[in-house]
Amino acid sequence: MTFDALLPDPATLAVFIPAAALVASTPGANNLLSLSYGMRSGFGPTVVSLCGRMTAFAVLIVLVAVGLGAVVAASETAFTVIKWFGVAYLVWLGISMWRAPVSDDGLPVPSGTPLTLARRAFWVAMSNPKSMLIFTAFIPQFLSPAGFTAAEFIVLSALYLVVEFLFACGYAGAGASLRRLKLTASRLRWANRITGGTMIGAAGLLAAAQR
């Protein structure tokens, strides 16, 4: 089977791309993290940190492709464990953002090295059961019902990752634009509180989520 044969037909792509853009652009925990890191560390380090999120999604794609994703998605125990780990991690990140130090020169203090940012982005993506649902519930809707193969799923998932990466870069760029404004220390503290509070709010929404 050639690569061209695995590509969705134009009609499917015409529906999939806008739907993927809608899912990828949603201001959830992953994108809020990119916004915050863009503001505190700049565009370049934040884009590097996206390797963590993309790696997490690649792991999930492999799990689904080999059949383990369906097992995890159907397991009440697995969903609950992942959900509460995600809640705890988002609360910790939210508190860290809320209490993030601010320098006197009107610039936020960087969040850490790009590797540190990537590691945090990885765990935010992996600890959110909604990430698994992208690949177990959303993408399968666009696969050919007759003749579905793991290769076809991986190709469509890879297309989704491209869309996800582009919107993540957009959030990183928005954060970097805020950074260039050189807000006062007081306003930066409020910005930290807003992003931190929003992340804690995302933890609350995740805690209330049901399978």
Side-chain angles (χ1 to χ4, degrees):
M1 180 179 293
T2 64
F3 178 77
D4 290 342
L6 296 175
L7 290 175
D9 60 80
T12 300
L13 285 177
V15 178
F16 175 73
I17 297 300
L22 181 62
V23 172
S25 63
T26 302
N30 289 313
N31 286 332
L32 290 175
L33 193 66
S34 292
L35 178 69
S36 175
Y37 285 167
M39 184 178 69
R40 293 169 59 190
S41 298
F43 182 75
T46 304
V47 170
V48 173
S49 79
L50 293 178
C51 294
R53 190 198 305 190
M54 297 301 110
T55 299
F57 281 179
V59 171
L60 296 177
I61 290 170
V62 172
L63 289 177
V64 174
V66 300
L68 295 179
V71 176
V72 174
S75 171
E76 182 73 36
T77 300
F79 181 89
T80 301
V81 170
I82 294 173
K83 182 180 80 170
W84 287 108
F85 177 80
V87 168
Y89 195 67
L90 288 176
V91 168
W92 176 80
L93 277 178
I95 293 173
S96 298
M97 292 176 181
W98 184 292
R99 300 174 60 188
V102 174
S103 64
D104 295 330
D105 59 1
L107 288 174
V109 176
S111 305
T113 66
L115 180 61
T116 298
L117 303 186
R119 184 172 61 249
R120 292 174 183 169
F122 174 87
W123 285 114
V124 168
M126 283 296 293
S127 62
N128 189 341
K130 299 302 181 183
S131 299
M132 176 68 75
L133 293 179
I134 291 175
F135 302 106
T136 58
F138 171 69
I139 289 179
Q141 298 179 57
F142 301 92
L143 298 172
S144 173
F148 162 75
T149 64
E152 181 188 0
F153 167 76
I154 290 173
V155 169
L156 200 60
S157 296
L159 290 176
Y160 175 80
L161 289 191
V162 173
V163 177
E164 176 85 13
F165 180 80
L166 292 175
F167 276 98
C169 287
Y171 275 89
S177 296
L178 292 174
R179 177 183 176 84
R180 287 193 292 270
L181 292 177
K182 293 188 176 181
L183 302 175
T184 64
S186 176
R187 290 179 178 177
L188 282 173
R189 290 190 184 93
W190 273 110
N192 287 340
R193 290 166 184 166
I194 290 172
T195 54
T198 303
M199 193 66 73
I200 294 172
L205 291 175
L206 179 57
Q210 302 295 322
R211 286 182 52 246

